[in-house]
Amino acid sequence: MTVPQLRGVRLADRLGSRENNFDVLRLMAAWSVLVSHSFALVGREEPLHQFGTTLGNVGVLVFFAVSGLLIRRSWEHDPSPRDFWVKRALRLLPALATVALVTAFVLGPLVTSRSLSSYYSSWETWIYPVRVTLLYTFGAPLPGVFEGNLYPGVNGPLWSLPVEVFAYFCLFLLGLAGLLGRRWLVTTFAGLSLVWAAWWVTVTSEAVGATYVLSAFALGAAAYTWRDRIVLAWPVALALVPLCVASGLGPDAVRVLVWTPAAVYLSYWFAYAVRPVGQVLVRWGDASYGVYIWAFPVQQALVQWGVDDPWVMMALATPVVWLLAIASWRLIERPALRHKPRPTAPPAGDHPSSSEPGPGDPVRGSQPGGS
């Protein structure tokens, strides 16, 4: 199928196509978090700091925008409460448990400042994999691990996973109550979430304020509701770029009001209205989730071992993290996803090429979030 590049395409007509750029988009979003942290972890200002945000936060925004659309679509395909949560668990938890175990019992002993006897006798060592797997990721420490680094965290980006699960839960409740079919309600909820996001970043800390990405999820779910009306067109996409630049130079609230819906639109435009690009990057598998959850501890280890230049950090971390991510996909994630429940027939107005979710569906692919 040939995707027209200059003329717009209707979102509803492209939702089921397997010819899209979602895998590449997610991989680039995950890598943008790695790039951003390559600066932050060595004490440099992160890319896009001139706009009051970071490249990593933009990557997270993209993840939530993609999730909002595709998780909503997944519910429409299979509105079974049990199936919904089984799919989410199979997508998130096996790989997360693996990185937690490897971090605690392979990387931790190599980098801890404590003796091995002290490290293994600490309750924090043994509870860490449990905490992370149960998505209690905020501030999860390991004894003596990266405590001397500029940023003393073990795996900071994992903060966004419980936030995203919260977004799943909200969508689940609306679906269970039969309210997702009410276009006005979903639209109102998304609009209110955007207003909340613009207010939230002005009244809380930068770290906590990053949870405004929940609004991108809500807007993505609303976009599915309006899929028959949304046209993804090059002129609109190009016009959004200078608008984002201009709004980024203003107050944080204005930036959030503009960048959040822009990220939603541009993500879907790139996925569906642009010819497939960079497919060689995903030839060996969907590495985006693996890149996201493995990058930070690898980068922290490099900092501890003396890397203090962001470009050197990127050059060393990228291939290591990519190989770990590919191994995660092939050995952990893909085998786990083979056990997911099969979806039902697609709803009216969604025209997939088959009854199975396409490669953009997070049940098959990756859908992390977080910086």
Side-chain angles (χ1 to χ4, degrees):
M1 174 181 177
T2 300
V3 180
Q5 292 200 41
L6 297 179
R7 292 181 297 174
V9 297
R10 196 172 61 144
L11 180 59
D13 295 334
R14 296 288 295 132
L15 267 173
S17 174
R18 293 181 179 275
E19 187 177 304
N20 61 60
N21 287 312
F22 271 124
D23 285 352
V24 174
L25 176 64
R26 284 191 301 254
L27 182 61
M28 291 298 97
W31 188 64
S32 73
V33 176
L34 183 155
V35 171
S36 203
H37 288 159
S38 294
F39 288 81
L41 294 179
V42 298
R44 307 285 185 87
E45 290 186 315
E46 299 178 60
L48 302 186
H49 70 273
Q50 303 91 337
F51 300 107
T53 186
T54 67
L55 181 62
N57 283 345
V58 172
V60 178
L61 199 61
V62 169
F63 276 130
F64 275 76
V66 171
S67 273
L69 178 75
L70 299 180
I71 296 294
R72 169 70 192 279
R73 180 173 181 258
S74 181
W75 173 266
E76 296 293 333
H77 277 250
D78 187 6
S80 160
R82 174 187 173 276
D83 289 356
F84 181 84
W85 288 112
V86 168
K87 291 173 185 177
R88 307 288 81 77
L90 288 173
R91 185 66 203 103
L92 291 179
L93 300 185
L96 186 61
T98 301
V99 75
L101 287 167
V102 172
T103 301
F105 299 116
V106 178
L107 180 61
L110 294 176
V111 298
T112 183
S113 59
R114 298 191 185 184
S115 66
L116 290 183
S117 60
S118 174
Y119 180 81
Y120 282 114
S121 63
S122 172
W123 68 271
E124 290 180 331
T125 301
W126 299 94
I127 201 66
Y128 179 83
V130 178
R131 285 186 58 171
V132 169
T133 304
L134 294 178
L135 297 174
Y136 184 47
T137 59
F138 297 99
L142 282 169
V145 173
F146 306 136
E147 290 180 348
N149 286 11
L150 182 65
Y151 183 92
V154 178
N155 203 337
L158 299 186
W159 71 265
S160 67
L161 297 184
V163 174
E164 185 150 357
V165 171
F166 173 75
Y168 298 163
F169 183 68
C170 292
L171 186 144
F172 168 76
L173 289 180
L174 290 174
L176 202 62
L179 299 177
L180 287 177
R182 299 186 180 183
R183 180 175 285 186
W184 67 269
L185 181 64
V186 175
T187 304
T188 300
F189 188 83
L192 290 175
S193 77
L194 187 59
V195 173
W196 164 80
W199 167 79
W200 182 244
V201 296
T202 66
V203 299
T204 188
S205 68
E206 183 177 350
V208 178
T211 56
Y212 82 86
V213 294
L214 284 166
S215 179
F217 186 97
L219 290 173
Y224 185 87
T225 299
W226 293 93
R227 63 194 181 279
D228 59 325
R229 305 284 184 87
I230 294 176
V231 176
L232 306 170
W234 277 77
V236 178
L238 294 176
L240 285 174
V241 175
L243 183 60
C244 286
V245 172
S247 63
L249 298 175
D252 286 342
V254 174
R255 171 179 54 80
V256 169
L257 283 173
V258 174
W259 284 38
T260 307
V264 171
Y265 186 92
L266 290 171
S267 295
Y268 306 161
W269 167 78
F270 177 76
Y272 288 132
V274 177
R275 296 180 187 276
V277 295
Q279 297 302 304
V280 66
L281 298 174
V282 294
R283 178 180 178 183
W284 294 275
D286 185 356
S288 55
Y289 186 41
V291 168
Y292 184 74
I293 63 177
W294 281 99
F296 200 84
V298 170
Q299 291 175 284
Q300 282 284 63
L302 290 173
V303 170
Q304 182 163 315
W305 293 331
V307 175
D308 59 1
D309 181 272
W311 303 101
V312 175
M313 172 77 75
M314 277 184 274
L316 293 176
T318 296
V320 173
V321 171
W322 186 81
L323 289 173
L324 289 169
I326 290 297
S328 176
W329 171 253
R330 291 180 172 270
L331 301 178
I332 307 298
E333 298 166 52
R334 185 169 62 180
L337 292 174
R338 292 191 182 116
H339 299 287
K340 70 181 187 295
R342 295 182 64 84
T344 59
D350 187 355
H351 309 291
S353 55
S354 72
S355 61
E356 281 292 312
D361 192 292
V363 174
R364 174 189 182 276
S366 165
Q367 51 92 37
S371 172

